[in-house]
Amino acid sequence: MENIKASTEQLCAEANIQRKKVSEVSKELLDFCEKNKTNDMLVSGPTDQHNPFQEKKSCSVL
Amino acid sequence: MSTIAGESSSSSKMPENSQPTTTEKGSEYLEQLANEAEELRKKLDQERHKLNDIPIQQAAERLDVMGALGVKQRRILKGHVGKVLCMDWSLDKRHIVSSSQDGKVIVWDGFTTNKEHALTMPTTWVMACAFSPSSQMIACGGLDNKCSVVPLSFEDDIIQKKRQVATHTSYMSCCTFLRSDNLILTGSGDSTCAIWDVESGQLIQNFHGHTGDVFAIDVPKCDTGNTFISAGADKHSLVWDIRSGQCVQSFEGHEADINTVRFHPNGDAFATGSDDATCRLFDLRADRQVCVYEKESILFPVNGVDFSLSGRILFAGYGDYRVGVWDSLKCARHSVLYGHENRISCLRTSPDGTAVCSASWDCTIRIWA
């Protein structure tokens, strides 16, 4: 009984939230990616400074 | 690639176990509540469906295809003799903590691959570990049902300084510090999450709502809001209000256990990985699933997901030993990283996005960049 009551209240709260269209949130996700693209080393490669993980270890080779 | 959402159909699995009530009135009321819940569920499904106007991959058509990335294995951390179950980056973007099935917790220098600290926990299966924001402390736990913190220093035997902070009634599956070294958030097989005060070990807030084991939690990087997400065996991802302890949103779509969950760097969306061999993208503002990352040839569970710094790439660690590199916007797999020799258990992008780290049952941790 308590469970059902709680879950109904939960559903009620969830039904009343504001929502955006998928097209809108997609655009925002796209814009975010484009804006941060140059800083994303895994996408654009290291910028002026090196990626420390891409430098060879000093005492590597064999 | 035609379907974008797998939801809607199996909506109600609720009131079957409604207990027989003693009075007629009670059962009438119960029925009324159940009907109401059913109506709300329908309404919710309809509302969410209405907003599904243009699929994200269509919106992403204007973007260039990602070229070759040059991401490959750069480091391999060897030292565990059991399955590595969890790892976490330090905010210094260099150190890594890992925990394994044989009870060991190791702190590594990711640049040099040196081990800086190693400790043995009293029980095996250390399923969770985390670095504190200051990098001066780690938290870990698992089958001991506890979360312990250990301050890192080179002067003392650090295991002597180990302190228990949290106790659940079942195993602890995941933990992360919350904004500071003083608060820790845990998820457990007892189907709850909880926030604890590190200093006093006091329970600050607990979170009831999952109907199965919690396997994963995440806090947004740009931590301005007061929310976190959790997911697990009940196939649902729940968004919680930290202050009130209330669940504010719930997301469905997965067809099996959710093993991993990670916020998109924008803080408004999150990705999940599941035993159903798919990753999914959900958006808090759309209140629904936005994308499924799947391929017919992929049959194995996803145990770790994380985004690149811009959110363009979604990395996924699979049970088939591989790391899948997905274009998160075009919803297509870009490439695959090979190297591990057993299932991947955990995967994390470094805090500044320079590298991705994966932990595996092959006893190694590998850094890709």
Side-chain angles (χ1 to χ4, degrees), chain B residues 141-156:
Chain B
L143 272 194
D144 57 358
N145 300 359
K146 295 188 175 72
C147 186
S148 306
V149 295
V150 184
L152 300 176
S153 85
F154 291 103
E155 276 119 59
D156 323 281

Side-chain angles (χ1 to χ4, degrees), chain B residues 175-218:
Chain B
C175 64
T176 183
F177 284 87
L178 203 61
R179 298 192 205 104
S180 76
D181 286 21
N182 298 325
L183 291 176
I184 200 155
L185 172 65
T186 56
S188 165
D190 66 14
S191 75
T192 71
C193 300
I195 296 174
W196 311 81
D197 183 83
V198 172
E199 198 59 48
S200 66
Q202 254 179 350
L203 175 70
I204 307 250
Q205 183 67 266
N206 58 6
F207 302 88
H208 291 270
H210 278 291
T211 55
D213 301 21
V214 176
F215 292 141
I217 46 176
D218 195 32

Side-chain angles (χ1 to χ4, degrees), chain B residues 215-252:
Chain B
F215 292 141
I217 46 176
D218 195 32
V219 180
K221 251 188 204 167
C222 39
D223 193 11
T224 48
N226 273 290
T227 56
F228 76 94
I229 40 175
S230 63
D234 63 8
K235 306 170 199 166
H236 280 68
S237 305
L238 304 184
V239 179
W240 301 92
D241 183 323
I242 285 175
R243 283 168 300 186
S244 69
Q246 293 296 308
C247 169
V248 287
Q249 277 177 283
S250 95
F251 295 83
E252 57 182 25

Side-chain angles (χ1 to χ4, degrees), chain B residues 7-61:
Chain B
E7 24 191 317
S8 79
S9 59
S10 66
S11 56
S12 115
K13 47 181 170 182
M14 242 201 56
E16 284 151 17
N17 59 351
S18 48
Q19 312 221 324
T21 41
T22 45
T23 65
E24 285 265 313
K25 247 192 189 149
S27 74
E28 250 172 54
Y29 179 54
L30 206 62
E31 204 172 304
Q32 194 189 327
L33 268 178
N35 285 339
E36 203 179 317
E38 193 49 42
E39 282 300 310
L40 280 166
R41 234 178 263 277
K42 267 189 208 147
K43 190 181 154 206
L44 211 61
D45 272 346
Q46 279 169 2
E47 287 295 317
R48 283 176 178 152
H49 193 71
K50 251 193 263 170
L51 297 166
N52 190 23
D53 52 351
I54 301 169
I56 189 168
Q57 51 270 57
Q58 195 177 321
E61 275 170 12

Side-chain angles (χ1 to χ4, degrees), chain A residues 10 19-20 23 28 40 51, chain B residues 53 247 285 287 308 310 354:
Chain A
Q10 182 70 42
R19 293 186 187 81
K20 281 188 176 181
S23 56
E28 288 176 31
D40 190 334
N51 181 338
Chain B
D53 52 351
C247 169
R285 296 153 309 173
D287 191 38
S308 69
S310 70
T354 49

Side-chain angles (χ1 to χ4, degrees), chain B residues 340-362:
Chain B
H340 280 296
E341 290 159 15
N342 204 329
R343 64 181 282 177
I344 295 172
S345 53
C346 184
L347 179 145
R348 292 268 169 128
T349 311
S350 73
D352 60 348
T354 49
V356 184
C357 184
S358 55
S360 162
W361 284 18
D362 69 7

